[in-house]
Amino acid sequence: AEYGYFQHYYITNNLRNWAMSTQATRIMSETLEFSNIIPILVSLILLVFTYVLLKQLFGKAKGNTIIMMGIEGSGKTALYAQLVAGKEVQTQSSLTENTSQLSAPPLKVVDVPGNARLRGDIFTKYSSAVRGVVVVVDSADFVDKVRECSEVLFEVLLNDNVRSSKCPILVFCNKQDEEMSRGPDPIKVAMERELTTLNNTAANALSDDSGARKMLGAENEAIKLDKLGHKVTAVGGVCVGPDMDISNLNSWIATL
């Protein structure tokens, strides 16, 4: 009987030890499996975080279109002809846009009519693929046309596609060879003053269909082009005549 008792005890104890060992092995196995999953989860989280960060930093893919804007008489179409064809042409007010393709870099160039009633819709049409915008101003006639020129820049800066892409903007101060022309820096400063006025006017205007007012900044805030999130550059040049020089435009395009 005593032998049977010890035999029973021995078997029971071994079974208990085996069960505990099996459970411990299973727990250890599950723990190891979970520990193997952790690096994978961490890698996936880092991958998603990196994607979101890069998307915020660089936004959507770059467009392939340079859009040229400016009021009538600014020399915009003459500048367009020099850029795409390398020659002077007789220009006149147009009701439609001109388009051409550059070979190097391979970008599309759109010359938008200067007519205020036409340019808005045409600019919007091409802005979905915008790579950069050139705003052409007549440096010699700028004092009398500062408001009109600034309205063009204001329109460009408020465009949804321009804002989301944060594309660079070039203010090309044309006709620098004329005696009464203003330099790029004074023109930029004068346009900032006008943009401030236009922004304040927009603050008091009726909201659009979405219930929001399109503005460059808070009401009464002094608008500074360098603080708007775009790289706004003002350069001088001449698009016709013996002093023709559009090298600043070409250099800017090379950076796009």
Side-chain angles (χ1 to χ4, degrees):
E2 184 177 352
Y3 172 75
Y5 169 78
F6 281 109
Q7 186 179 30
H8 174 74
Y9 174 79
Y10 177 77
I11 294 172
T12 302
N13 189 57
N14 282 345
L15 287 173
R16 185 184 299 113
N17 289 338
W18 176 82
M20 292 177 64
S21 175
T22 302
Q23 184 178 11
T25 302
R26 180 175 59 81
I27 293 173
M28 184 176 294
S29 177
E30 290 177 353
T31 302
L32 288 173
E33 289 179 1
F34 181 72
S35 65
N36 290 334
I37 293 175
I38 290 177
I40 298 175
L41 291 175
V42 171
S43 298
L44 288 174
I45 292 172
L46 288 175
L47 184 63
V48 172
F49 176 77
T50 302
Y51 170 77
V52 172
L53 181 62
L54 289 176
K55 189 173 182 181
Q56 290 179 342
L57 287 175
F58 299 103
K60 62 182 183 180
K62 289 183 177 180
N64 67 341
T65 304
I66 299 171
I67 306 176
M68 302 183 70
M69 297 279 285
I71 66 173
E72 293 176 314
S74 63
K76 172 179 54 60
T77 301
L79 179 62
Y80 165 84
Q82 283 288 1
L83 176 63
V84 302
K87 62 181 181 180
E88 296 183 17
V89 296
Q90 288 293 113
T91 63
Q92 58 184 9
S93 297
S94 174
L95 301 179
T96 60
E97 68 272 26
N98 298 305
T99 63
S100 293
Q101 187 75 29
L102 296 178
S103 57
L107 296 173
K108 184 176 185 178
V109 182
V110 179
D111 170 29
V112 176
N115 187 291
R117 292 178 296 177
L118 300 173
R119 67 174 181 247
D121 289 339
I122 296 175
F123 178 62
T124 300
K125 171 183 173 182
Y126 289 98
S127 67
S128 60
V130 67
R131 182 70 160 266
V133 180
V134 180
V135 177
V136 185
V137 302
D138 181 343
S139 302
D141 196 30
F142 179 74
V143 174
D144 295 329
K145 301 291 180 65
V146 58
R147 170 55 68 94
E148 294 176 66
C149 294
S150 300
E151 286 174 346
V152 174
L153 182 56
F154 190 69
E155 182 179 344
V156 168
L157 290 167
L158 288 181
N159 178 272
D160 290 336
N161 291 312
V162 170
R163 298 181 88 164
S164 63
S165 66
K166 298 187 183 300
C167 67
I169 298 170
L170 182 73
V171 179
F172 187 86
C173 305
N174 194 22
K175 305 182 184 180
Q176 286 290 302
D177 57 330
E178 297 193 16
E179 185 176 352
M180 299 300 293
S181 64
R182 303 288 297 275
D185 289 338
I187 286 177
K188 185 176 180 180
V189 171
M191 293 184 84
E192 287 178 332
R193 287 197 298 266
E194 287 299 322
L195 289 173
T196 300
T197 301
L198 290 168
N199 192 63
N200 289 334
T201 301
N204 298 316
L206 294 175
S207 61
D208 61 18
D209 294 338
S210 66
R213 294 180 177 86
K214 286 193 171 185
M215 299 172 60
L216 295 179
E219 186 176 3
N220 297 322
E221 176 185 351
I223 301 301
K224 297 296 182 183
L225 291 172
D226 295 336
K227 297 182 178 180
L228 294 180
H230 300 269
K231 185 177 181 180
V232 182
T233 308
V235 301
V238 180
C239 65
V240 295
D243 297 322
M244 191 279 295
D245 181 8
I246 64 168
S247 58
N248 286 327
L249 173 60
N250 288 321
S251 297
W252 177 80
I253 290 176
T255 66
L256 298 179

